[in-house]
Every structure is written in C-alpha cells, then in structure tokens.
Amino acid sequence: MATMESLIGLVNRIQRACTALGDYGGGDNAFSSLWDALPSVAVVGGQSSGKSSVLESIVGRDFLPRGSGIVTRRPLVLQLQKTEDGQQEYAEFGHLPRRRFTDFSVVRKEIQDETDRITGKTKQISPVPIHLSIYSPYVVNLTLIDLPGLTKVAIEGQPESIVQDIENMVRTYVEKPNCVILAISPANQDIATSDAIKLAREVDPQGERTFGVLTKLDLMDKGTNALDVLEGRSYRLQQPWVGIVNRSQADINKNVDMIAARRREREYFATSPDYGHLASKMGSEYLAKLLSRHLESVIKARIPSITSLINKSIEELESEMDHLGRPIAVDAGAQLYTILELCRAFDKIFKEHLEGGRPGGDQIYGVFDNKLPAALKKLPFDRHLSIQNVRKVVSEADGYQPHLIAPEQGYRRLIEGALNYFRGPAEASVDAVHFVLKELVRRSVGECQELKRFPSLQSTIAAAANEALERFREESKKTVVRLVDMESSYLTVDFFRRLPQEVEKAGNVAGANAAAATNIDRYAEGHFRRIGSNVSSYISMVSETLKNTIPKAVVYCQVKEAKQCLLNHFYTQIGKREGKQLADLLDEDPALMERRVECAKRLELYKKARDEIDSVAWAR
Ligand code: GDP
Ligand code: MG
C-alpha cells in the first residue's frame, strides 16, 4: 500500500534531486523542468503577517529567522522528509551538501548568513533560493517555500523598485499551476486589505489551490472575531480557511518552545468562546495534515502526466547522450585504444574517398587523363626545334669543325634540351595529385563524426596526415624527375638506326658556279629541318612513354602510400606518448564535456524517479 507519506515523500525526493542539479524551476534551465511538474507549497503574504511563523509551526521546529521588518529576503525552499521513528532530526542545506545540522539555532544562523552572502547585510532581496531539507520523524512530507513578504513602500535603504521586485518574485512561484498557495493574512487587519488574497486571486481566480490562513487571532481587538473569514463568508475559497495562533514576539524572546506553543495554540481554540466549535479544524497541526492530504490527491492526479514528462525527458536525454558520445576512459591504455579507433575511423573515410564510395578520388585520374597530356602538349618543342635553333645548337656543338655526316653532338644537345622540358609537367602532376590528396584529408577529417568531439585530436590527425602527404610528395618528385633524367642518360639507339640515311644528292657537280651557293644553302636548310624532325619524333616517343610512366610513379609514391600508410608514422609516435599527452589529445570541448556530465546526472535522476513512481503506482 502506498501511503500518503510515500507518495509525497517520492515527490520530495525527486524535487531534492532536481535541486541538487540546480533545477528548481524558473524557466531559464535548458532542460524541461521536472520540478515545475511537481506540486509544491508556497507561503505568501504581507510583511510580518506571520509566514515564517506558520512554516515553523507546521515543521514543529524553530529554525527560521523571524521578527519585524524584512527578515526573509531570499526564497527558502524547505523540504520536509519524514524519517523512521527514533531517528535523530537533522537539517541539510543545498549550498552545504553533506553537512548535517542537528542544532536548529545554527540552522537559523546559517539561513541569515547565507541570505547575507547574496544580498549583503542590506535590506535588498534576491530571487536566488536557499535550499533546506529537514529530516525528522516528527514532520510530514512536504515541500514548502517561504517567500519575502509583500510590501507597499520602499523603506530607507531599499531601492524604489523593491515593492514591484518582491511581487514579481513571489508571482513567479505562485503562478505555476502546480503551486499550492498558502495565503497568509493577519486577523488583526481587514481581510479586504490582504496582500496575500489579492495576489492569490490574481493567479488562482477560482481559489482551487489557495489555502487561506488567518494568523494573529490572539491579537484581534477585544470584542471582535474572525468567524466571517474562517467560515468562508468574507472571501470564498474551495479549500477551508484555517486559523492560527503563533508565538508572539514576546514568546520568542522568552524562548517559549514549539511544543509549548502548539499546546497553547490547541488550548486557545479549545477554550475560545468564538472558535470552540471549529477547534478540530484550526491550528498549525491541522493545517499540516490538510496540506498533506491535499498534496497527496494532487500528486495522484498528476502521476500520469509526471510519468509522461519523465519518459519524454529520458528519451530526449538519451538521444542527446548518443549525440554527445560515450565518456572517455581515464587510463592510458584505453585512451590509446580510443585514439587508434578514431584514427581508423578517419582513415576508413579517407580510403573511401580514394577508392570510391565517396567522391574525390576520380580527380586523381583527371590529373593523369587531362592535365598531364595537356601540359605535355603545350611544351615549346616547336620553338626548340625551329630551323634557326637547330642550326644554332648544331653549329655550336660542332665548334670550328662542322660535322661531316650526322651531327652526333648536335642531336644529343637538342634531345637533352628538349627532355629538360619534361620536368615541369612531371613535377606539376605530383603537385596536382598532392593537392587532391590534401583536400581529401581535409574532407575526411570534417566528415568523421566521431572526431568532432575532440578538436585537438582532429587537428593533430589532420597535421599528421598532411605531413605524411608532404613526405610522399618529396619522394614522388624525386622519382618522376629521375624518370625524365633516365631518358636523357641513355637514348634509344634503335630509333636512330632505323632513321633513313641522308641520300647525298650532290647533283650535277659541273653545274654553274653561280648556282652552287644557293644549292648549298638549300642543302643545309633541308639538312637542319630533317634533324629537327628526327629529334621531334624522338621526343614524341619519349613523351608517350612519360605520359604512361609518370602516373605509375605518382600512384606508386603518393596514392598507394597514402592509402596504405597515411598515419603509420603517427602511429609509431603516438605509441611512445605518456598518459598525460594522450589525455591532452582527447581533451574534449569543455562545454560538451560539461553537458554530458549534466545529461548523465539528469538521466540518472529521471530513471530513478521513473522506477520509484512505477513501484509506488504498482503498490496502489
Ligand atoms: P513574516 O514576515 O510574514 O515571515 O512574519 P514572521 O513569522 O516573521 O512574524 C512576524 C512577527 O509577528 C513576529 O514577531 C511573530 O512573533 C509575530 N507573530 C506571527 N504570528 C503571530 C500570531 O499568531 N500571534 C502573535 N501574537 N504574534 C504573531
Ligand atoms: Mg518571514
């Protein structure tokens, strides 16, 4: 059987857990507030109307600062938790977790000090609540919120806005539909002037969640009584009015204890000629029971919506946790493992880009199929093998003795000169592929979801990959330049042997002397043109060869290496790192880390709450 205590106690525990996470409603919390979904009781009334006194007598302990003037200057969220009989009573503050207060006068002192800590020793107020839990066998399970009293004018030392500030602060609590309002009005003032009733009527016009509490019955003018109010004739509420007699300031000064005070209150009603007939429905003990019973029925009615809110929150939190990723391990071995896993995840994406599955690898083929042939075609062989240049190079090679048959030296120089031009396109192919690979690294790093959490590791991997690509590029350049150099180091003999021999057409030697000079000119021109065209076809042959071998070298030195050992060097380095350095690599975005911790705590709270609600709901 779920008792009243267990239900309210359950809500109390959830509320306390919410509080520990800094969630006490208020709206500026990023999480949908579970707190707001749970019922609570707020004490509202004019200054010195007796709010703190009522709270104390409900609790049955002296622990609140009381007196005239503005004493309560921050909201006090008071959670009462009933414990087993015989257990020692103690109190705990939200701002001092794990410190148990057993002396309630020290509790009062701490409330004062904690108030001053935020507001200073002034008459200022602050909306930041103080959280206090009381564990005692003598309390009922309740969450009560003591609020600063409503006032009408700012007094010396207070800003003009204070009247409105207090009202606004109180309103944020009482306007929540789950807030039960304990509207405190002193009996020695006309109920028509009650600040409590005025505000309560505004936020709860039907009076469904407002409990009217009339204090200071003992201070009424002789010959008057409050029966019109207590019997609901002055101001109708759905809930019954409760009259209270708290300790006077003189009692407090004389240290009249709570037990004596309660006894005196009981006696007051039992013996009162005016209220005797209402005695069983008056007093703070009755008010506590009434509130408890009301809360229980509210909670029962709310359980389905609370459960669905909790389930919805759990769902949201779990999907957020998935998104944020698992927390990282703390030992070096596990961290190394995580880093290697992340490297592999990146490497896998990079490979997909190269091999297909993801776009980009085709650009490398584009270099071989378009850029390289186009660059080869553009080489300035026409100029190099123009008759003028051929004549110049050959003559220079001949020196003072012109060649007799074939200009061996001239051919060599022309060919070597032409071959030099191939270095440009060869190196340009290497660079072009390098930039494609670099771009693929950049894209892969960006596309690797797992890495997003770890900005340091992300940039370290990118740097390591680029460094490796740089090394591959150097190697590749050396290799393609070597291919070109190899072409000049040994010429293909067969090519020249197969060339048709120049037929000496000396012609008619007896020809006119006048013609001889032009004949020789014509001969020389044809001779050099033939040399140029021979060299040109040799160069074309070499060009065809290089068009095929440069891509092979580039793939061998850069692409294949990138595919197989992009991070190899990094792996050997990382293996040597110390725990601290590994942890540094895995340092997450701090905001993200904080968020995960927050989410995890909340998830735990909500799951626990769900289990508890389930067990209570089953027990019913
Ligand atoms: P709050 O400002 O609304 O929290 O009011 P307090 O609880 O601090 O009470 C203000 C003053 O009124 C204190 O001196 C109390 O002793 C006194 N007081 C409160 N309730 C009663 C009551 O029912 N009878 C008498 N005689 N004095 C009361
Ligand atoms: Mg007070």
Side-chain angles (χ1 to χ4, degrees):
M1 263 299 285
T3 61
M4 185 160 89
E5 261 82 48
S6 70
L7 264 183
I8 302 174
L10 160 72
V11 167
N12 253 7
R13 277 194 300 279
I14 298 175
Q15 274 174 332
R16 251 202 320 281
C18 287
T19 305
L21 296 178
D23 175 13
Y24 34 77
D28 62 340
N29 202 294
F31 295 94
S32 60
S33 178
L34 183 54
W35 174 274
D36 285 349
L38 301 172
S40 55
V41 180
V43 186
V44 186
Q47 200 170 296
S48 291
S49 57
K51 298 178 298 300
S52 298
S53 301
V54 167
L55 269 189
E56 268 193 342
S57 53
I58 290 176
V59 179
R61 284 290 164 279
D62 299 271
F63 62 97
L64 290 175
R66 274 151 312 145
S68 53
I70 182 157
V71 179
T72 309
R73 289 181 286 123
R74 286 174 62 184
L76 177 85
V77 178
L78 178 64
Q79 299 191 296
L80 306 181
Q81 186 77 52
K82 187 174 169 55
T83 53
E84 302 278 311
D85 279 346
Q87 297 274 321
Q88 198 191 9
E89 281 182 300
Y90 67 92
E92 247 175 34
F93 282 98
H95 62 275
L96 295 170
R98 281 183 293 283
R99 182 164 157 208
R100 290 186 172 195
F101 291 77
T102 48
D103 182 345
F104 280 80
S105 62
V106 181
V107 171
R108 175 177 331 165
K109 174 90 172 43
E110 181 57 34
I111 293 174
Q112 272 161 351
D113 292 350
E114 176 59 18
T115 302
D116 292 346
R117 262 171 227 140
I118 296 275
T119 60
K121 278 190 187 299
T122 59
K123 296 189 175 70
Q124 314 260 8
I125 56 155
S126 159
V128 182
I130 298 174
H131 288 273
L132 175 64
S133 297
I134 293 180
Y135 301 82
S136 161
Y138 312 117
V139 297
V140 285
N141 287 323
L142 266 181
T143 294
L144 299 161
I145 304 168
D146 192 13
L147 291 166
L150 299 163
T151 57
K152 294 202 166 51
V153 286
I155 55 160
E156 200 51 44
Q158 290 180 330
E160 272 309 313
S161 62
I162 194 152
V163 175
Q164 199 55 49
D165 291 347
I166 294 177
E167 191 180 320
N168 292 343
M169 186 208 294
V170 172
R171 190 182 281 106
T172 60
Y173 283 87
V174 295
E175 71 189 357
K176 301 221 168 86
N178 287 315
C179 180
V180 174
I181 304 167
L182 221 51
I184 314 282
S185 313
N188 56 355
Q189 274 172 29
D190 199 318
I191 198 72
T193 65
S194 165
D195 301 302
I197 293 299
K198 181 168 169 264
L199 187 59
R201 180 150 65 180
E202 200 184 295
V203 297
D204 175 31
Q206 306 298 321
E208 286 164 346
R209 53 189 178 92
T210 302
F211 284 78
V213 177
L214 208 57
T215 56
K216 306 193 183 182
L217 286 172
D218 58 317
L219 294 184
M220 286 186 79
D221 278 344
K222 289 224 161 53
T224 60
N225 67 49
L227 280 176
D228 278 350
V229 176
L230 292 176
E231 289 177 342
R233 285 188 296 275
S234 297
Y235 186 74
R236 253 206 104 62
L237 291 166
Q238 313 263 336
Q239 315 290 343
W241 280 82
V242 180
I244 297 274
V245 177
N246 290 314
R247 284 169 299 175
S248 65
Q249 192 59 43
D251 293 337
I252 293 169
N253 296 346
K254 273 186 284 175
N255 280 325
V256 171
D257 72 22
M258 188 58 74
I259 298 164
R262 277 192 170 175
R263 194 181 58 235
R264 277 192 5 202
E265 189 187 32
R266 267 198 307 273
E267 280 166 9
Y268 175 88
F269 285 110
T271 60
S272 158
D274 291 322
Y275 313 118
H277 64 293
L278 293 173
S280 65
K281 295 185 169 170
M282 293 288 132
S284 21
E285 279 171 282
Y286 178 74
L287 178 62
K289 289 203 191 93
L290 194 66
L291 274 178
S292 244
R293 208 154 54 218
H294 176 73
L295 274 184
E296 191 212 16
S297 70
V298 169
I299 294 171
K300 266 191 183 154
R302 292 277 151 78
I303 277 189
S305 67
I306 294 172
T307 311
S308 81
L309 172 73
I310 289 178
N311 286 337
K312 188 175 135 260
S313 307
I314 289 178
E315 228 167 80
E316 283 169 6
L317 285 169
E318 267 173 349
S319 88
E320 186 169 357
M321 286 290 273
D322 286 347
H323 188 72
L324 293 173
R326 280 170 294 147
I328 3 160
V330 279
D331 66 300
Q335 285 176 340
L336 183 59
Y337 180 81
T338 307
I339 293 174
L340 294 180
E341 286 268 88
L342 291 165
C343 289
R344 268 192 288 276
F346 155 77
D347 204 42
K348 183 166 168 282
I349 294 175
F350 179 69
K351 277 196 182 113
E352 284 171 8
H353 275 299
L354 276 184
E355 293 173 333
R358 287 176 197 255
D362 51 312
Q363 285 172 28
I364 292 174
Y365 177 66
V367 171
F368 301 150
D369 193 46
N370 283 316
K371 287 196 182 148
L372 176 60
L376 290 174
K377 206 179 260 169
K378 266 197 237 134
L379 291 177
F381 293 130
D382 283 354
R383 191 159 28 88
H384 184 63
L385 298 176
S386 66
I387 289 195
Q388 294 85 331
N389 198 44
V390 170
R391 190 198 309 266
K392 182 169 167 279
V393 172
V394 170
S395 309
E396 279 172 9
D398 281 349
Y400 71 92
Q401 167 70 73
H403 63 274
L404 300 179
I405 304 172
E408 178 85 13
Q409 275 308 316
Y411 266 112
R412 278 193 182 280
R413 290 208 186 164
L414 282 170
I415 291 172
E416 268 163 28
L419 288 176
N420 264 337
Y421 285 110
F422 286 115
R423 285 167 181 255
E427 289 186 333
S429 303
V430 171
D431 286 336
V433 169
H434 176 77
F435 289 121
V436 173
L437 291 172
K438 222 170 139 174
E439 171 63 13
L440 294 185
V441 163
R442 196 189 63 78
R443 278 162 77 172
S444 306
V445 166
E447 286 163 19
C448 187
Q449 287 305 321
E450 297 94 319
L451 267 183
K452 287 211 170 20
R453 266 170 78 183
F454 306 106
S456 301
L457 184 60
Q458 195 181 43
S459 56
T460 306
I461 289 183
N466 284 332
E467 215 179 276
L469 290 182
E470 211 58 63
R471 276 198 309 278
F472 302 155
R473 161 153 86 167
E474 286 313 303
E475 221 22 67
S476 189
K477 263 198 186 155
K478 273 190 216 148
T479 308
V480 293
V481 167
R482 206 169 268 169
L483 282 179
V484 175
D485 287 350
M486 275 152 58
E487 289 297 336
S488 22
S489 68
Y490 188 71
L491 305 182
T492 310
V493 184
D494 271 357
F495 177 89
F496 292 95
R497 294 212 170 130
R498 266 191 263 117
L499 286 180
Q501 292 302 304
E502 272 183 48
V503 187
E504 299 293 324
K505 282 203 199 120
N508 174 347
V509 184
N513 272 346
T518 50
N519 258 346
I520 287 166
D521 273 358
R522 210 177 296 133
Y523 165 77
E525 200 176 303
H527 179 62
F528 288 126
R529 186 173 290 130
R530 250 192 315 281
I531 293 173
S533 108
N534 285 343
V535 171
S536 170
S537 42
Y538 185 77
I539 292 301
S540 302
M541 184 191 76
V542 173
S543 179
E544 275 308 304
T545 310
L546 289 177
K547 202 159 79 189
N548 292 321
T549 51
I550 288 172
K552 287 177 205 283
V554 166
V555 168
Y556 182 82
C557 296
Q558 287 172 278
V559 182
K560 196 181 100 252
E561 284 295 294
K563 203 173 91 181
Q564 291 176 350
C565 13
L566 186 62
L567 293 178
N568 278 10
H569 186 66
F570 178 66
Y571 291 150
T572 57
Q573 282 181 325
I574 194 100
K576 291 182 211 137
R577 293 220 189 172
E578 303 288 328
K580 167 81 175 74
Q581 292 168 305
L582 294 176
D584 285 350
L585 277 182
L586 288 176
D587 70 336
E588 285 183 274
D589 185 350
L592 218 131
M593 229 143 66
E594 231 169 77
R595 183 76 188 166
R596 181 186 307 100
V597 171
E598 180 90 330
C599 271
K601 278 198 207 149
R602 225 154 260 269
L603 197 55
E604 194 190 304
L605 156 69
Y606 285 14
K607 281 182 171 166
K608 216 170 138 228
R610 182 176 61 185
D611 292 348
E612 289 212 34
I613 288 177
D614 280 352
S615 65
V616 171
W618 281 112
R620 260 187 310 167

